[in-house]
Amino acid sequence: MPQTPPFSAMFDSSGYNRNLYQSADDSCGGLYYHDNNLLSGSLEALIQHLVPNVDYYPDRTYIFTFLLSSRLFMHPYELMAKVCHLCVEHQRLSDPNSDKNQIRKIAPKILQLLTEWTETFPYDFRDERMMRNLKDLAHRIASGEETYRKNVQQMIQCLIRKLAALSQYEEVLAKISSTSTDRLTVLKTKPQSIQRDIITVCSDPYTLAQQLTHIELERLNYIGPEEFVQAFVQKDPLDNDKSCYSERKKTRNLEAYVEWFNRLSYFVATEICMPVKKKHRARMIEYFIDVARECFNIGNFNSLMAIISGMNMSPVSRLKKTWAKVKTAKFDVLEHQMDPSSNFYNYRTALRGAAQRSLTAHSSREKIVIPFFSLLIKDIYFLNEGCANRLPNGHVNFEKFWELAKQVSEFMTWKQVECPFERDRKILQYLLTVPVFSEDALYLASYESEGPENHIEKDRWKSLRSSLLGRV
């Protein structure tokens, strides 16, 4: 069976492979081409184009792009049912008298299509209807041929392993979120239980940056490419099924990753606002500046941005006396790198550099690219909002989906990188489970450290002391 090539090979620098489609006509069986590029087509024609026959196998870029974007128009299980129907009917797999040679030619191609689907979009198969269709079609292919039977078994076992790993990961996430408490609550009930801070748990900024990279890569790895599309699913104007699209908004792993970013920002702010002494707060700020710098060097832009966000939160930034004791030159450089002006031009330049390094890397260490995730989602959102899914003639706007697939496929390459650093369970446990302050608790800690500067702050401080500490 042909091997699935890596994602980075799928799309060239100009957006997608320019010579995928050799067609003399501009319009061909419901598909519209320009300069050999598929630009649009009816949904039915695009589905036909996905299904292999004896003389044809769709290009991998097309398979990925169509499987990614088709969910904006139909459920994956509906697409799978159509694909199965076309395979069975067109290739006469249901006919006991059909030519065995014909089946030998087509079976590996159908099997390869199913393998690509299960490898790239495994979460689609959490739906029982998908799994039923997959097993049914795979069984038809496998009957009578020992080689195919082994390949089918291998494909299904691999899929089941992926889905089991996902369920396990979701259980861990649920456990973490159910045990998370506000740090202030813990402080009031068991003050001695959080005498530790991050520097006592991990004194080396480089080690902490490595452990943050572990968390980032693990969480990235569980995000399915389809979640980027499902996050923006809206009602398809040609679809009459009212309930259809709400079911498709399955984005749990993507949301968990965004929650991790927020937690890390609040974690940084909490660790800075906790110490009573000014010099300890200044030391904590300098520590996190060093951690952020190490994240930048590793290529972990998401943790870098979360740390900067935490340090820029008002309860931290208002601590003027503390900041006066900090050598801020390194922080200024990092802020400049992540400066949002000109649509994050500096960051995008650094990201391109890291992506380039990743392509020519000889070690896992050099392959790491962890993008600033909220900006990646924003880019995909604007791409989705900026172009219609359908053209005025009802055709699917495939030009838009090439661009969408290009962005998502780059992410797919990055998320598959193995983390080369050694895991430290103690540090990971602290990062993931230590209680953090809520926004109100952060403000209260900030005012307790450096008193209010005006009437508004004074009133807020009184109100917070009353509501959070029960003091007037």
Side-chain angles (χ1 to χ4, degrees):
M1 252 170 77
Q3 287 303 300
T4 301
F7 269 91
S8 52
M10 278 174 56
F11 291 80
D12 69 11
S13 58
S14 57
Y16 55 88
N17 195 325
R18 295 286 177 191
N19 299 308
L20 293 182
Y21 306 100
Q22 301 302 326
S23 163
D25 304 322
D26 265 352
S27 187
C28 174
L31 301 175
Y32 175 74
Y33 297 86
H34 182 67
D35 291 341
N36 291 329
N37 300 323
L38 176 58
L39 298 188
S40 69
S42 67
L43 193 54
E44 281 305 316
L46 291 166
I47 294 169
Q48 294 267 4
H49 199 55
L50 180 70
V51 178
N53 60 39
V54 175
D55 307 309
Y56 164 77
Y57 187 78
D59 188 276
R60 188 165 182 245
T61 42
Y62 178 76
I63 295 171
F64 177 73
T65 305
F66 187 66
L67 291 181
L68 179 71
S69 55
S70 59
R71 61 200 68 237
L72 289 168
F73 307 100
M74 64 199 305
H75 284 282
Y77 80 84
E78 292 171 318
L79 176 62
M80 177 58 106
K82 281 180 182 284
V83 166
C84 289
H85 174 75
L86 288 169
C87 287
V88 171
E89 292 306 307
H90 291 195
Q91 314 316 328
R92 297 171 63 202
L93 291 179
S94 54
D95 183 353
N97 304 316
S98 61
D99 181 355
K100 286 279 181 278
N101 279 337
Q102 175 99 342
I103 290 178
R104 277 195 196 98
K105 280 180 190 171
I106 188 64
K109 292 181 176 179
I110 295 173
L111 196 49
Q112 174 63 10
L113 178 66
L114 296 178
T115 302
E116 294 208 24
W117 197 334
T118 56
E119 280 181 1
T120 315
F121 298 93
Y123 303 168
D124 284 352
F125 295 87
R126 292 185 108 178
D127 187 326
E128 267 306 308
R129 296 165 293 193
M130 288 288 289
M131 205 53 124
R132 253 198 322 272
N133 274 325
L134 174 71
K135 286 178 176 171
D136 178 53
L137 185 54
H139 172 72
R140 287 175 189 272
I141 293 168
S143 58
E145 284 285 347
E146 188 55 37
T147 328
Y148 302 149
R149 199 174 296 132
K150 276 183 186 165
N151 288 336
V152 163
Q153 267 176 339
Q154 207 179 343
M155 173 183 73
I156 290 173
Q157 279 166 3
C158 183
L159 174 61
I160 288 167
R161 273 198 305 274
K162 279 188 179 180
L163 295 179
L166 174 66
S167 296
Q168 213 174 351
Y169 169 70
E170 286 175 342
E171 280 170 29
V172 169
L173 285 184
K175 204 170 171 184
I176 288 171
S177 74
S178 69
T179 55
S180 72
T181 45
D182 177 37
R183 194 150 184 168
L184 191 67
T185 313
V186 180
L187 259 181
K188 284 197 288 187
T189 51
K190 293 183 278 187
Q192 75 291 347
S193 69
I194 27 180
Q195 293 308 313
R196 291 186 310 164
D197 63 17
I198 186 61
I199 298 177
T200 59
V201 175
C202 174
S203 59
D204 177 31
Y206 182 52
T207 303
L208 189 72
Q210 290 180 337
Q211 299 311 304
L212 287 171
T213 303
H214 260 294
I215 296 169
E216 297 280 353
L217 283 173
E218 182 187 43
R219 299 210 168 190
L220 266 191
N221 189 42
Y222 281 102
I223 297 171
E226 71 283 356
E227 294 190 45
F228 289 102
V229 172
Q230 283 161 189
F232 309 125
V233 164
Q234 289 173 343
K235 192 83 174 65
D236 179 16
L238 300 187
D239 184 5
N240 297 319
D241 182 357
K242 298 278 188 293
S243 66
C244 180
Y245 80 101
S246 59
E247 248 184 76
R248 280 178 254 164
K249 292 192 82 130
K250 293 172 184 159
T251 54
R252 181 68 199 101
N253 304 300
L254 189 146
E255 287 164 32
Y257 191 49
V258 172
E259 283 162 19
W260 154 249
F261 178 95
N262 295 335
R263 174 183 164 80
L264 181 53
S265 294
Y266 273 85
F267 169 83
V268 169
T270 300
E271 293 284 332
I272 293 169
C273 288
M274 275 281 290
V276 177
K277 290 189 173 171
K278 191 164 44 189
K279 66 176 181 185
H280 292 161
R281 290 195 299 276
R283 178 172 164 236
M284 190 63 80
I285 289 174
E286 287 180 344
Y287 172 81
F288 276 119
I289 291 170
D290 287 339
V291 175
R293 193 176 59 162
E294 295 298 352
C295 286
F296 180 81
N297 293 338
I298 287 170
N300 179 356
F301 298 105
N302 203 53
S303 290
L304 163 64
M305 196 59 177
I307 293 168
I308 290 174
S309 299
M311 292 166 90
N312 281 330
M313 286 173 80
S314 296
V316 176
S317 63
R318 67 169 292 281
L319 299 170
K320 294 188 177 68
K321 291 172 189 165
T322 304
W323 280 96
K325 289 191 163 295
V326 174
K327 299 183 186 78
T328 56
K330 286 186 282 189
F331 186 57
D332 295 341
V333 170
L334 291 170
E335 279 210 298
H336 176 69
Q337 284 293 349
M338 302 308 278
D339 180 6
S341 62
S342 302
N343 193 16
F344 286 89
Y345 177 81
N346 295 344
Y347 158 70
R348 290 181 192 278
T349 306
L351 181 69
R352 270 199 305 278
Q356 205 51 49
R357 177 186 71 186
S358 178
L359 286 175
T360 56
H362 299 295
S363 67
S364 296
R365 166 75 186 72
E366 294 171 313
K367 280 184 185 162
I368 296 169
V369 183
I370 302 171
F372 169 31
F373 196 64
S374 298
L375 190 61
L376 176 65
I377 292 175
K378 192 174 153 191
D379 286 347
I380 291 172
Y381 173 78
F382 281 120
L383 170 64
N384 186 56
E385 287 293 296
C387 308
N389 290 339
R390 288 191 188 264
L391 301 177
N393 64 357
H395 269 201
V396 171
N397 179 6
F398 217 71
E399 199 172 8
K400 166 184 174 171
F401 296 124
W402 284 126
E403 195 50 48
L404 181 70
K406 183 193 169 192
Q407 289 198 18
V408 176
S409 72
E410 193 168 34
F411 163 81
M412 293 290 286
T413 309
W414 298 336
K415 87 180 190 120
Q416 286 163 3
V417 173
E418 291 275 326
C419 190
F421 309 121
E422 209 174 313
R423 291 172 72 89
D424 186 312
R425 287 180 66 104
K426 187 180 63 164
I427 300 170
L428 290 170
Q429 178 80 1
Y430 187 84
L431 285 169
L432 289 167
T433 62
V434 74
V436 297
F437 280 160
S438 65
E439 191 178 3
D440 280 349
L442 280 174
Y443 270 108
L444 179 60
S446 180
Y447 293 141
E448 296 283 333
S449 297
E450 294 186 22
E453 292 191 343
N454 53 49
H455 288 301
I456 296 170
E457 286 194 344
K458 206 170 272 183
D459 289 345
R460 184 160 192 195
W461 185 33
K462 280 181 188 167
S463 153
L464 289 171
R465 281 177 73 91
S466 163
S467 62
L468 297 179
L469 299 178
R471 294 181 197 159
V472 180

